[in-house]
Amino acid sequence: MSVLDEKPLPLQTLLRVDSVSMSFGGIQALNEVSFDVKAGTIHSVIGPNGAGKTTLFNVITGAYVPDRGRILYEEQEVQGRKVHELVRQGIARTFQNVELFGSMSVLENILVGRHVRTRCGFLGAMGRWSWVKKEEVEAKRRALELLEFVGLVDFAHHRSEDLPFGWQRFLEIGRALGADPRLLLLDEPASGLNAVETQRLGDLLERIRGQGITLLLVEHDMSLTMGISDLIVVLHQGRKLAEGTPKEIQSNDEVIAAYLGSDRESFP
Amino acid sequence: MKQILFAVAVLTMGLTISQSYHLQLLTFIGIHTILALGLNMLMGYAGQISLGHAAFYGLGAYATGILTAHWGWSPWAALPVALAGTFVVAFLVALPMLKLSGYYLGMGTLGFGMIAFIVFREWSSLTGGDSGLVGIPSLTVGTFSVSSGKPYFFLVWGCVLLAFIACERLVDSRVGRALRAIHDSEKAAAAMGIDTSRLKIWVFVFSAVLAGLAGFLYAHLVTFISPNSFGFLVSIRIVTMVVIGGMASIWGSLLGAAVLTILPDWLHVFTDYEMVVYGLILMAIMIFVPQGLTRGILDTYERSRRKAFTTPDPSQS
Ligand SMILES: Nc1ncnc2c1ncn2[C@@H]1O[C@H](COP(=O)(O)OP(=O)(O)OP(=O)(O)O)[C@@H](O)[C@H]1O
Ligand SMILES: [Mg+2]
């Protein structure tokens, strides 16, 4: 059923989206979308509102099952595996509308992010054997390290919902990093950030890449996207309109037309 | 530390209070605390409602009642069987039920509670039906009888202490954080790699087993049980204890259980208006401290000493 034949993935391809289609009722949210994400790169997905970007993320993370097509992550089919299993395999994400655990502290949010890298269950928790304590200490150490990394270590004990919105986005990224992902999907991480915060975000993304983590980014902020992406995929009404380096995308007539036709005036 | 203070408090109370009426009341508070504690793990922490929890309370009570009164088992042999029975039933109920959420889960558990109530009432060859199950033996340790009064008080509160420790450890662990995560955002919890349906099943089973333990303690205290002690109203009372005491608060379960056990007792002076006053008090608590008594008390305390939240630059760290 797939248009691409069964030849093995080139070694550095971490994720392959292979003619994926998905519709909701009459709306074709994704229409035969294909592209590869190479390990160690920052790959962006852009497109006007309703283009299908978030749907694409939901399909990659296993939250939605596509109608047609398939997703290969590290040469394995994503389809049929549950969201939480895929996190264990190294796919972590953030949400377009920040989804923190609001009643929990900043530190606890990161600790939940570490869920798949720890293993204490009901009996372990009640018994509190020495391996459980050791695991807990280690998890806290790592969580503080991550808070340091995203710049929130001073707020470890604040309730996460008390943080200013922009910082919540940084916390959400830190939480996703808790799973030690190999592929990190960020859905519009810059939306709601001011200019200074956006710059800081760009810097953080570079540092994340520096750790060998592959980034797949949905973003409307063009200067950020153009500045840090290795490759960009443009979606428009569920279809892949173009793919290329930031330079190629900026000079692509179809892309410019799609953006001019939409209500977004922000395209450079 | 808190546990030691708690143990000391229980010990002093047990040793100083000699009036059997007060001891009895405190013993009931203990049993209700275990019930509320279990439900609080499910409701307060994981955010999943159960309107049929009295079923598991009844299951624990009837299981030990039938094994000891009908079949002559020792209560100590009946205890693990009663708990295991509750465990299995809760698991089988949870398997389909916790696919539901919100109102639907409420309805589902409500239905289960009703079915259990009907079984307690109608399976009269085993349960004694409406007229109840009589002749449940008191507990003994060797030749020492742990019937009502001080020994039972200590037994029950010993169990409360253990349940406290278990729950407190659970809350402050990977499991507890995952439970609260489900409560705050199930979507995000799944995205963190938490197997939400599995965890919801296990916390349901955990809370049911605590209810089963409470049922065991109840049965051997009163030595006579009837279906009405495990009906719909009792389920609602357990929910009320959790809500009044404070959701997601371990000490709140104790407070809620105490208030709902003592209040009806004090309100006897209002004779005909007893229920009206009772209702008014519950309403007032919910209006003025909607997050429950514990949070209300803590918030007042914290507000009086909290510094304003300052927002230094995050990059400076
Ligand atoms: N769960 C759903 N049920 C029904 N329709 C949906 C669902 N999710 C997405 N859609 C529809 O699919 C289309 C693509 O939505 P999607 O959220 O993927 O767009 P997007 O590119 O992320 O847009 P935005 O920039 O606004 O976030 C939209 O028309 C949307 O209404
Ligand atoms: Mg979107």
Side-chain angles (χ1 to χ4, degrees):
Chain A
M1 84 188 273
S2 127
V3 284
L4 299 176
D5 40 329
E6 297 295 326
K7 63 181 177 240
L9 300 174
L11 258 184
Q12 64 295 35
T13 300
L14 184 64
L15 180 79
R16 165 165 290 177
V17 177
D18 183 359
S19 38
V20 166
S21 298
M22 168 128 212
S23 57
F24 299 101
I27 301 164
Q28 190 76 31
L30 291 174
N31 196 344
E32 300 282 320
V33 175
S34 301
F35 62 94
D36 283 359
V37 178
K38 290 206 167 47
T41 59
I42 298 184
H43 209 113
S44 290
V45 178
I46 63 171
N49 288 105
K53 305 179 296 292
T54 300
T55 306
L56 177 68
F57 269 24
N58 284 331
V59 168
I60 294 173
T61 54
Y64 292 168
V65 179
D67 303 334
R68 265 169 295 120
R70 50 181 203 161
I71 311 271
L72 294 181
Y73 168 72
E74 294 186 323
E75 313 209 5
Q76 304 222 309
E77 289 247 13
V78 159
Q79 198 168 334
R81 288 194 275 170
K82 300 227 174 69
V83 175
H84 60 88
E85 289 165 4
L86 289 166
V87 182
R88 203 172 286 273
Q89 303 300 314
I91 303 184
R93 73 171 295 178
T94 64
F95 293 90
Q96 184 169 348
N97 311 304
V98 175
E99 291 269 353
L100 287 174
F101 305 121
S103 72
M104 300 168 74
S105 76
V106 167
L107 179 67
E108 284 172 325
N109 267 270
I110 307 261
L111 286 171
V112 176
R114 255 197 103 61
H115 190 85
V116 290
R117 302 294 166 235
T118 41
R119 54 197 196 86
C120 157
F122 271 83
L123 291 180
M126 288 188 281
R128 221 171 248 189
W129 334 115
S130 62
W131 70 263
V132 177
K133 288 189 202 157
K134 226 187 274 165
E135 178 184 274
E136 191 78 7
V137 169
E138 171 57 25
K140 286 210 172 108
R141 190 195 60 75
R142 174 73 180 140
L144 286 170
E145 205 174 271
L146 284 169
L147 281 177
E148 185 86 53
F149 187 72
V150 299
L152 288 172
V153 78
D154 291 341
F155 307 96
H157 299 289
H158 283 102
R159 259 168 91 96
S160 66
E161 66 186 7
D162 292 342
L163 290 183
F165 182 77
W167 303 9
Q168 295 192 6
R169 288 230 179 259
F170 284 86
L171 174 55
E172 212 190 7
I173 295 173
R175 187 181 66 176
L177 288 172
D180 296 340
R182 257 158 300 175
L183 176 64
L184 178 59
L185 291 79
L186 305 177
D187 199 345
E188 303 202 13
S191 94
L193 301 192
N194 61 35
V196 179
E197 288 168 335
T198 305
Q199 200 167 6
R200 201 174 289 145
L201 174 70
D203 168 63
L204 175 64
L205 299 186
E206 290 288 3
R207 284 188 291 134
I208 293 173
R209 191 232 306 256
Q211 310 249 311
I213 296 168
T214 309
L215 282 160
L216 186 58
L217 194 67
V218 163
E219 192 41 71
H220 280 310
D221 185 308
M222 284 304 155
S223 63
L224 176 70
T225 318
M226 295 297 163
I228 62 167
S229 307
D230 296 303
L231 276 179
I232 296 175
V233 168
V234 186
L235 286 185
H236 182 49
Q237 296 178 348
R239 284 186 174 280
K240 185 171 94 173
L241 198 62
E243 179 172 14
T245 61
K247 255 214 182 86
E248 290 164 354
I249 295 300
Q250 268 166 314
S251 55
N252 184 314
D253 293 338
E254 268 189 291
V255 174
I256 294 168
Y259 267 87
L260 289 180
S262 80
D263 53 356
R264 269 187 195 273
E265 71 311 315
S266 61
F267 198 77
Chain B
M1 186 59 216
K2 263 188 277 182
Q3 281 92 354
I4 296 172
L5 276 179
F6 179 74
V8 170
V10 168
L11 213 62
T12 23
M13 266 205 283
L15 292 177
T16 51
I17 294 173
S18 52
Q19 225 183 320
S20 71
Y21 168 76
H22 287 147
L23 277 172
Q24 171 107 345
L25 197 63
L26 284 168
T27 305
F28 274 118
I29 291 177
I31 292 174
H32 291 160
T33 303
I34 296 174
L35 281 172
L37 208 50
L39 188 62
N40 210 338
M41 294 306 293
L42 179 71
M43 240 175 81
Y45 289 96
Q48 311 296 313
I49 195 163
S50 168
L51 295 179
H53 237 52
F56 300 111
Y57 184 37
L59 210 61
Y62 273 105
T64 191
I66 291 164
L67 289 174
T68 55
H70 285 340
W71 300 346
W73 285 38
S74 146
W76 301 118
L79 175 62
V81 176
L83 295 186
T86 317
F87 182 101
V88 171
V89 173
F91 183 76
L92 294 177
V93 170
L95 223 41
M97 198 80 88
L98 290 195
K99 293 207 170 74
L100 309 174
S101 59
Y103 302 125
Y104 303 101
L105 179 61
M107 281 298 131
T109 49
L110 179 70
F112 168 70
M114 286 176 165
I115 293 169
F117 176 75
I118 290 169
V119 171
F120 297 150
R121 202 183 56 195
E122 300 301 328
W123 198 350
S124 41
S125 59
L126 272 182
T127 64
D130 254 336
S131 42
L133 181 61
V134 289
I136 302 171
S138 299
L139 300 178
T140 52
V141 179
T143 55
F144 182 67
S145 145
V146 189
S147 53
S148 57
K150 269 186 200 181
Y152 217 86
F153 168 91
F154 282 120
L155 173 71
V156 166
W157 282 92
C159 291
V160 174
L161 182 61
L162 287 181
F164 260 16
I165 293 173
C167 289
E168 211 156 40
R169 287 181 167 191
L170 211 51
V171 166
D172 183 26
S173 77
R174 173 175 177 266
V175 178
R177 288 189 297 264
L179 292 174
R180 282 180 289 155
I182 291 178
H183 194 170
D184 282 0
S185 166
E186 192 161 342
K187 188 166 83 171
M192 295 304 111
I194 295 167
D195 188 342
T196 54
S197 25
R198 203 181 119 115
L199 191 58
K200 285 195 279 185
I201 289 172
W202 284 121
V203 70
F204 187 83
V205 171
F206 177 82
S207 77
V209 169
L210 275 185
L213 172 66
F216 173 88
L217 292 170
Y218 174 77
H220 291 284
L221 173 65
V222 296
T223 69
F224 162 81
I225 52 178
S226 72
N228 282 332
S229 308
F230 313 106
F232 170 64
L233 285 177
V234 178
S235 289
I236 296 301
R237 255 168 73 99
I238 309 172
V239 172
T240 316
M241 285 175 199
V242 173
V243 175
I244 293 281
M247 300 253 262
S249 157
I250 285 184
W251 297 93
S253 304
L254 171 62
L255 207 55
V259 169
L260 282 221
T261 312
I262 294 171
L263 212 53
D265 217 75
W266 283 353
L267 295 180
H268 280 322
V269 290
F270 291 98
T271 58
D272 284 353
Y273 299 103
E274 183 188 330
M275 285 319 281
V276 176
V277 178
Y278 182 66
L280 282 175
I281 292 177
L282 295 190
M283 274 172 67
I285 294 178
M286 281 298 97
I287 289 168
F288 294 110
V289 272
Q291 293 190 300
L293 290 172
T294 322
R295 270 258 68 85
I297 294 168
L298 285 179
D299 279 355
T300 322
Y301 173 72
E302 271 167 22
R303 217 174 298 132
S304 67
R305 45 170 283 170
R306 188 166 61 185
K307 286 171 263 156
F309 178 59
T310 48
T311 57
D313 194 29
S315 66
Q316 305 295 304
S317 52

